[in-house]
Amino acid sequence: MRYIMSAGYAGKGIQDIQSTVDEIVVKWIQCLRERWSSTPKQARDFDVGKRIQFLTVDITTKLCLGESFRCVEEDRDQHAFLDTVKTATPVSLQLSLFPELTRTLYHLTKLAPIRRLLVPSAENKSGIGTVMSVVKKVISKWEPSGMTPRDMLGSFLSRGLSRDQAETELVVSLVAGSDTTSTAVQATLLTIITNPRVYHKLQKEIDCAVNHRTVSVPIQEAEARQLPYLQACIQEGLRIHPPLAQLRDRVAPPEGDYIHGYRVPGGTSVGFNSWGTQRDPIYGDDAAIFRPERWVENEESKIKEMKQVCDLIFGHGPTKCLGSKIAWMILNKAIFE
């Protein structure tokens, strides 16, 4: 199933991902300037974190469903989506810490009365059910026409996922994808603007690129990759504040295994702490400090090793986040713009 879904996340069979992201980023910047720009006579305060959430929700829903929730234009939480994320995230994090509890709940939900109580439904008026309802309506809109939409939903269905499987995956993608990307953008932006030295150095690189007309409006992914300090700031922002604290456990094989000399019995769930891994000595004695220069001043071989550790933020192997490339694209565009 992961192989089937990977095509959609890679952009195969769907509208150009970058142009879709660009459309919403341009609209987002325009709305910020029109609604929240301060003047010499009036300073306007606003919650930039919430507006970053609006941005990532609209991009994610547009890519997944072919239409955005229009949070950016309406400047509000459509379908109570952000409230749903806020409610669901702590629950999913707690369940990830106790696999036994998760398995117990799974078996209990086979009983109809308990299933109605615990399992979300598209008929619910709040929580995950509201997101499920939106996804079901989008799928129902396309079914009578026999056409396949050019979005992730269409990609999933055309490659063999059932309607129920596609609905489940889209709900997960909408909730998890928009929230983690928003957290990454907010945390990276915060670390930059609270460090004057880094802020001015990055601003100088951006101004130079704009003045020499080496970047488009909005900036393209390939252009952003050519700005070394921008890349260093984003990489360091992700390292200092990983957007997901979930343990993402793996199960030891039946015969057991050894990790750094420690015997792990077969069937044991083993998770890793992304915040802990990002303080690894590979980053140097100042690993607890936000210092983007570490990504440009070290030798290429050392930077490669650092990136391998930093990439653990997105998981590894068969469970690595399929949306990591899209997240990087949004980070590049949002931070630069």
Side-chain angles (χ1 to χ4, degrees), residues 1 31 36 46 49 62-63 74 77 102 157 163-164 191 208 232 257 292 304 309 328-329:
M1 185 182 294
C31 288
W36 304 108
F46 78 106
K62 179 75 171 180
L63 291 174
E74 301 297 329
D77 179 14
T102 303
L157 294 174
R163 171 174 172 157
D164 287 344
T191 53
C208 183
D257 205 344
K304 182 179 179 180
V309 176
W328 260 101
M329 180 185 294

Side-chain angles (χ1 to χ4, degrees), residues 62-87:
K62 179 75 171 180
L63 291 174
C64 288
L65 305 175
E67 53 188 60
S68 77
F69 277 2
R70 295 175 57 85
C71 295
V72 169
E73 293 123 300
E74 301 297 329
D75 196 41
R76 65 188 180 91
D77 179 14
Q78 301 280 70
H79 306 289
F81 184 82
L82 297 178
D83 281 343
T84 297
V85 172
K86 186 176 180 179
T87 302

